[in-house]
Amino acid sequence: MTDQQDSLLPAELTALARRVIEENAAAGRRVSVAESCTGGLVSAALTEISGSSDVFDRGFVTYSNESKQELLGVSPDIIDTFGAVSIACVWAMAQGALKHSQADVSVAISGIAGPGGGSREKPVGTVVFAKAIRGEVDSSSEEKHFEPGTRAQVRLQAALVALELLLP
């Protein structure tokens, strides 16, 4: 187990990542993540935990629209119609993460961490999430609006939500 003093990441993030690894190991599940605005933060948190290789299959950091299309198979039509920060896009990202991994469950995250980049329809702090489980047609998705504070605060809050979604 990683001693928190040895971690570069906030204690609340690694504590939740530890739960994700332990509970998914107990359930016999492997996980993957498709990250945009968190830029690998969820993957980093999961890999802070000793034994994570038994649970964490892979992470996709798909920051650009092109990478979402190339690595995860997100249709350009989805991005053109709804935008990268949309339920449709993260749903496709989560499905793509399952398709291109050995995971049983995947979570996708896309959002606007700021300080710029927001709009009236999608202000800074808007983050969308989707969870997909192999063999299930439905996936769950949600949109959250975090207080726009700092970029780091939005990314941390988004990573925490994504980890919660990975709990069995």
Side-chain angles (χ1 to χ4, degrees):
M1 296 279 181
T2 300
D3 180 14
Q4 182 54 44
Q5 293 174 333
D6 295 334
S7 179
L8 296 170
L9 303 174
E12 64 184 320
L13 192 63
T14 54
L16 185 52
R18 182 177 317 287
R19 279 190 57 209
V20 168
I21 295 299
E22 290 172 352
E23 292 181 27
N24 279 287
R29 292 192 334 174
R30 294 186 51 87
V31 304
S32 66
V33 296
E35 302 182 67
S36 187
C37 68
T38 49
L41 186 57
V42 178
S43 297
L46 291 169
T47 58
E48 280 288 293
I49 309 306
S50 178
S52 60
S53 59
D54 293 334
V55 172
F56 183 54
D57 181 63
R58 67 193 73 183
F60 301 89
V61 178
T62 54
Y63 207 70
S64 71
N65 291 342
E66 293 77 18
S67 66
K68 290 172 181 64
Q69 295 166 35
E70 292 168 13
L71 296 175
L72 299 172
V74 176
S75 167
D77 291 341
I78 288 174
I79 294 171
D80 291 344
T81 304
F82 303 104
V85 180
S86 66
I87 294 297
C89 185
V90 290
W91 183 88
M93 289 170 65
Q95 296 297 325
L98 279 184
K99 181 178 179 182
H100 298 287
S101 75
Q102 302 303 310
D104 303 296
V105 62
S106 69
V107 166
I109 311 109
S110 186
I112 304 163
S119 67
R120 174 176 280 173
E121 297 79 27
K122 296 177 186 177
V124 170
T126 301
V127 183
V128 288
F129 304 87
K131 173 182 177 177
I133 298 173
R134 190 172 301 283
E136 292 187 12
V137 176
D138 292 332
S139 67
S140 60
S141 55
E142 62 183 300
E143 180 174 315
K144 292 209 174 266
H145 297 275
F146 300 116
E147 285 299 315
T150 67
R151 181 175 181 81
Q153 290 168 330
V154 171
R155 292 178 71 223
L156 174 60
Q157 291 174 78
L160 290 167
V161 169
L163 287 170
E164 285 280 347
L165 288 171
L166 285 171
L167 290 169

